[in-house]
Amino acid sequence: MRYGVAPDNQKMKSVTRVLRTAFDHDEHVRFIGNVRFGIDIGRADLLEHYDAVVYATGAEGERRLGIPGEDLPGCYGAKEFVDWYNGHPDAADRNFALHARQVGVVGAGNVALDVARMLVRSPAEIASTVVPDRVLDAFRQSLVTDVHLIARRGLVQAKFTPEELRGLNDLDDVDVVVRPEDVLLTDEDESRVGSNRQLRTNVEMLRKWAQRPLRGKPRRIHMRFLHRPVRIVGESCVEGVLLERNELLADGRVRGTGKLEPLELGMIVRSVGYQALRLSGVSFDETRSSIPHRQGRVLDEHGDLAKGEYVTGWAKRGPSGTIGTNKSDSAETVCNLLADLATRVSYNGRDPEQILTLLDNRGVDYTNWANWRRLDDHEIELGRAQGRPRVKIPVLQSMLELSRRSDTPGCADHAD
Ligand code: NAP
């Protein structure tokens, strides 16, 4: 919620209220923060101290385009850009000077839309979100006027959902530019859309936008379907991209036409999907980039059930689906976990305090729920002073210090 959901999606973030009640009111749930798996604690430690372990580590890596010029300064992965505007502590020493007027976003998923939307939002709109102060400053100085969303396939094959697409139209100062030729569907596409409500809504929305005159807004998002970046161009930094026009095949795949088209850009964000990373000591399927499992029960390297280990979310099924998908996904894992525990004859009589002793002995600077609530209160208080839902603290050391301050106010009802 804090680092994955876009800062301007306050409605989605409100789910936090529900999730928080487990920690606030249930003495059986304990939060231990600032503990790094594989560094502070390992798989063997967890299996020794708990009857079951659930890996819910998401997808920390991301795919690359694999084209020349991708490592030029000015070409970034969506994750580093998203981590920055979301105030992720791993991005605390990074800043993005938004000095380019023309920006390319490669990909046609919801993350690409999040990035494009944030890039063209007015500073006043950004100021009503939860971004850290330095991120807000960067957006206030942004020179971005045009964002080109570059999709290698057609609009029917795009991965974004109608609600996210509609969000582009709700922006105060932005025109969405759709080329009329991009909304002409092949017969195969028409039958693919058929009665699929989601696809139909996307197609109708984009068709409407293709027909209407531009409103003369100061910033624009250009939807560019059936184009594939072939090379990122520039001497010492990004100066543009060379695109190849694709044509759609009957099965929904595409083929290059050989027709090349340069596009001048000062910055590129590739948003072509995340990837789960291997956890130290935990089995991993390199081909699927996920933890192998059977209905949430982890499989070891021989394909046998690994006793006491479970997986959920993107680490389980790959980086797809929305918050709701994770709910049903985790329900499956937890049902199986409970069924397994019910068949266990005896437990080890573990002392729940032992894990804290282990962390203490290793000098791990762990935090608890009260610490988190103090930081939470502090961020909300900072936000209140500026008329914002909260202002995130992006630096880990400051987060830790604030979470331990005794003068932070009591626990309020939180918005984020
Ligand atoms: P995604 O939905 O898988 O989209 C990835 C996009 O990148 C696709 O359009 C894909 O095109 C394209 N792509 C992949 N490789 C490419 C390449 N080499 N060159 C050009 N394009 C390439 O992934 P995502 O956008 O990262 O989102 C991840 C998940 O989070 C999704 O399930 C998404 O719905 C969810 N999410 C939800 C929300 C929300 O609900 N508000 C917000 C953000 C994210 P092809 O289809 O041609 O492969």
Side-chain angles (χ1 to χ4, degrees):
M1 286 296 163
R2 184 171 167 88
Y3 299 122
V5 174
D8 58 347
N9 198 343
Q10 207 53 35
K11 193 173 135 206
M12 183 85 82
K13 280 181 186 283
S14 62
V15 176
T16 310
R17 287 207 190 102
V18 180
L19 299 179
R20 204 184 54 208
T21 54
F23 293 97
D24 275 345
H25 303 299
D26 196 331
E27 69 278 17
H28 301 301
V29 180
R30 180 172 58 170
F31 172 75
I32 310 176
N34 199 34
V35 181
R36 296 160 300 173
F37 186 90
I39 300 172
D40 301 321
I41 205 161
R43 169 177 176 266
D45 301 317
L46 291 175
L47 291 174
E48 188 189 332
H49 290 278
Y50 293 99
D51 292 302
V53 177
V54 184
Y55 302 112
T57 43
E60 288 283 292
E62 60 181 332
R63 288 205 210 112
R64 288 173 59 87
L65 293 167
I67 58 170
E70 201 170 352
D71 292 317
L72 276 172
C75 178
Y76 309 101
K79 186 167 186 313
E80 52 182 325
F81 192 62
V82 167
D83 278 356
W84 168 72
Y85 67 54
N86 273 330
H88 194 295
D90 286 354
D93 56 358
R94 193 178 300 148
N95 214 352
F96 285 88
L98 303 171
H99 291 163
R101 292 184 190 280
Q102 307 283 328
V103 180
V105 178
V106 183
N110 280 334
V111 172
L113 290 195
D114 279 352
V115 169
R117 194 179 66 243
M118 286 296 288
L119 279 165
V120 292
R121 265 206 190 283
S122 67
E125 287 172 317
I126 300 268
S128 67
T129 74
V130 300
V131 295
D133 280 335
R134 71 197 174 94
V135 172
L136 179 55
D137 286 345
F139 277 109
R140 283 197 168 122
Q141 288 162 36
S142 167
L143 301 179
V144 176
T145 55
D146 292 82
V147 171
H148 303 261
L149 199 97
I150 302 163
R152 64 178 172 184
R153 298 197 285 161
L155 75 99
V156 172
Q157 288 74 34
K159 298 267 173 64
F160 44 67
T161 46
E163 199 177 335
E164 302 304 305
L165 185 61
R166 196 172 295 114
L168 300 186
N169 197 44
D170 297 339
L171 300 168
D172 281 351
D173 291 333
V174 180
D175 269 323
V176 185
V177 185
V178 182
R179 305 171 181 213
E181 67 265 30
D182 279 345
V183 295
L184 299 173
L185 301 192
T186 60
D187 291 345
E188 288 87 3
D189 268 356
E190 284 290 3
S191 59
R192 232 170 250 133
V193 173
S195 54
N196 182 321
R197 234 176 62 196
Q198 188 158 313
L199 283 182
R200 180 138 302 283
T201 312
N202 278 355
V203 170
E204 282 168 4
M205 226 181 310
L206 286 162
R207 277 189 173 151
K208 207 165 111 194
W209 298 350
Q211 281 165 6
R212 70 180 180 195
L214 297 185
R215 297 173 286 181
K217 300 287 181 180
R219 285 180 292 279
R220 289 154 293 277
I221 294 179
H222 306 259
M223 311 290 284
R224 197 179 271 263
F225 292 99
L226 289 170
H227 280 86
R228 173 182 85 92
V230 183
R231 178 163 17 111
I232 293 170
V233 188
E235 280 291 318
S236 55
C237 62
V238 168
E239 293 170 26
V241 64
L242 191 62
L243 298 173
E244 180 181 15
R245 173 93 200 171
N246 279 340
E247 66 185 4
L248 198 59
L249 304 174
D251 62 2
R253 288 181 305 149
V254 283
R255 165 172 71 199
T257 61
K259 284 185 199 142
L260 298 177
E261 196 181 312
L263 177 64
E264 273 186 35
L265 299 171
M267 174 177 162
I268 295 176
V269 183
R270 56 163 195 271
S271 176
V272 294
Y274 290 160
Q275 244 175 359
L277 299 180
R278 177 189 279 278
L279 292 176
S280 169
V282 179
S283 58
F284 193 70
D285 182 337
E286 295 287 351
T287 345
R288 291 164 181 263
S289 296
S290 57
I291 296 177
H293 70 96
R294 197 178 299 146
Q295 281 124 28
R297 295 175 170 111
V298 173
L299 300 176
D300 66 18
E301 62 276 19
H302 308 294
D304 298 325
L305 288 176
K307 194 173 157 213
E309 287 178 279
Y310 301 84
V311 63
T312 188
W314 283 9
K316 173 183 176 185
R317 61 171 201 279
S320 68
T322 55
I323 303 285
T325 326
N326 287 322
K327 198 174 161 190
S328 47
D329 188 323
S330 62
E332 177 188 70
T333 296
V334 171
C335 281
N336 286 328
L337 184 157
L338 293 176
D340 293 348
L341 287 184
T343 62
R344 294 271 289 274
V345 182
S346 66
Y347 295 95
N348 282 355
R350 298 164 211 266
D351 173 0
E353 295 311 308
Q354 274 182 11
I355 193 86
L356 301 183
T357 309
L358 179 111
L359 292 171
D360 282 332
N361 290 343
R362 289 184 186 169
V364 179
D365 191 14
Y366 61 86
T367 61
N368 60 26
W369 187 241
N371 295 136
W372 158 250
R373 292 299 301 264
R374 240 175 255 135
L375 172 65
D376 198 26
D377 286 343
H378 178 80
E379 289 187 342
I380 289 167
E381 202 50 49
L382 280 183
R384 196 168 290 141
Q386 296 183 27
R388 305 169 58 192
R390 81 164 59 224
V391 174
K392 276 192 198 164
I393 306 293
V395 179
L396 182 61
Q397 199 49 42
S398 313
M399 293 168 77
L400 290 172
E401 283 163 17
L402 287 162
S403 76
R404 293 191 172 119
R405 259 174 44 178
S406 53
D407 58 338
T408 31
C411 301
D413 192 23
H414 304 154
D416 180 4

